[in-house]
Amino acid sequence: MESNNHIIICVGRQVGSGGHDIARMLALDFNAKYYDRELLNLAAKESGFSEKFFEQNDERRGIFRSLFNLRATPVHDSDIYANNFSQESLFKFQSDAIMKAADEGSCVFVGRCADYVLRERQNVVNVFISASLEFRIKQIMAKREMDYSAARKFILQSEATRASFYNYYTGKKWGAAESYDLCIDASILGLQTTEKLIVDFIRKRFGL
């Protein structure tokens, strides 16, 4: 553990696996701040861009060209629209927001390559939540009011985009066991029991 005793939990997740719900439960159990889309607001404040920029760029590659055409006005004067401004610049703003949040206290981060951004820190545990495809399809059908075919298509397309983003910025493989400290299938025991197993793992990992 680092001297400040902060616990940083980075949660990767398959679409529909319940990863967001598990991450929220972890934040409650460890009295930690929860960051998912909240990171977009932090990144917007750090960069001076509107949050809309980061919403459209969220865990995606190659979207910057379309954003550039929007010509949205930043909240402060700058040459941010210079030709050398890149997709990597948006990623850096988000990474800076992750680093800043991690400095301030215990956090649970969902996605956005937080495990890679915080890779040099000793007080970080990286977890990946998976689930069977059938489980995930049912979850998406219920949450998004989709039929079976649409839910399956949504999962496959969303995960391809997410994996591309993660692999590009980290040089690792999204969802591969070697990229994480713990990988667990939430569809076997359910979300609550899965979360308790993760809590036990983290407590033993840090001697709590």
Side-chain angles (χ1 to χ4, degrees):
M1 293 290 290
E2 295 182 353
S3 58
N4 57 25
N5 282 338
H6 295 168
I7 297 174
I8 309 299
I9 305 168
C10 301
V11 178
R13 73 287 181 218
Q14 288 185 312
V15 175
S17 65
H20 292 91
D21 295 330
I22 289 172
R24 287 188 182 278
M25 287 187 276
L26 288 169
L28 289 173
D29 277 340
F30 287 100
N31 192 29
K33 289 186 178 180
Y34 172 86
Y35 291 101
D36 182 9
R37 297 188 66 80
E38 293 82 356
L39 280 172
L40 306 182
N41 180 260
L42 289 177
K45 289 179 179 178
E46 289 294 309
S47 66
F49 274 86
S50 71
E51 189 174 347
K52 184 177 181 180
F53 260 53
F54 292 90
E55 287 178 350
Q56 295 189 47
N57 182 60
D58 192 22
E59 292 192 311
R60 292 175 173 83
R61 286 182 55 210
I63 197 84
F64 184 74
R65 290 184 182 87
S66 63
L67 290 177
F68 210 97
N69 293 330
L70 294 177
R71 298 294 294 179
T73 304
V75 297
H76 59 71
D77 293 331
S78 72
D79 61 351
I80 202 74
Y81 295 107
N83 289 335
N84 62 353
F85 188 70
S86 66
Q87 185 80 18
E88 280 68 25
S89 299
L90 293 178
F91 178 75
K92 185 180 185 304
F93 287 133
Q94 185 169 272
S95 299
D96 289 345
I98 290 171
M99 295 286 285
K100 184 175 181 179
D103 285 338
E104 294 176 351
S106 294
C107 302
V108 176
F109 294 106
V110 178
R112 296 169 182 85
C113 302
D115 59 320
Y116 177 76
V117 173
L118 301 171
R119 63 192 180 281
E120 301 298 330
R121 304 200 181 198
Q122 299 301 311
N123 59 338
V124 176
V125 61
N126 301 314
V127 178
F128 190 83
I129 311 296
S130 64
S132 69
L133 181 58
E134 289 302 310
F135 176 91
R136 293 185 288 131
I137 289 173
K138 289 178 181 178
Q139 291 283 99
I140 296 299
M141 288 174 66
K143 290 185 176 182
R144 294 183 171 268
E145 298 182 350
M146 293 178 171
D147 62 23
Y148 185 96
S149 178
R152 187 178 188 278
K153 182 178 180 180
F154 174 81
I155 288 171
L156 296 179
Q157 290 181 340
S158 299
E159 289 193 346
T161 300
R162 186 174 294 173
S164 177
F165 176 87
Y166 182 89
N167 296 349
Y168 177 77
Y169 284 109
T170 69
K172 301 192 294 180
K173 185 177 180 180
W174 180 79
E178 59 267 24
S179 296
Y180 309 91
D181 301 309
L182 176 67
C183 298
I184 191 165
D185 185 334
S187 61
I188 296 175
L189 297 176
L191 303 190
Q192 291 185 338
T193 301
T194 297
E195 191 267 343
K196 295 306 178 187
L197 288 173
I198 297 171
V199 169
D200 289 342
F201 174 83
I202 294 172
R203 293 191 186 282
K204 289 178 180 178
R205 165 77 180 273
F206 294 129
L208 302 175

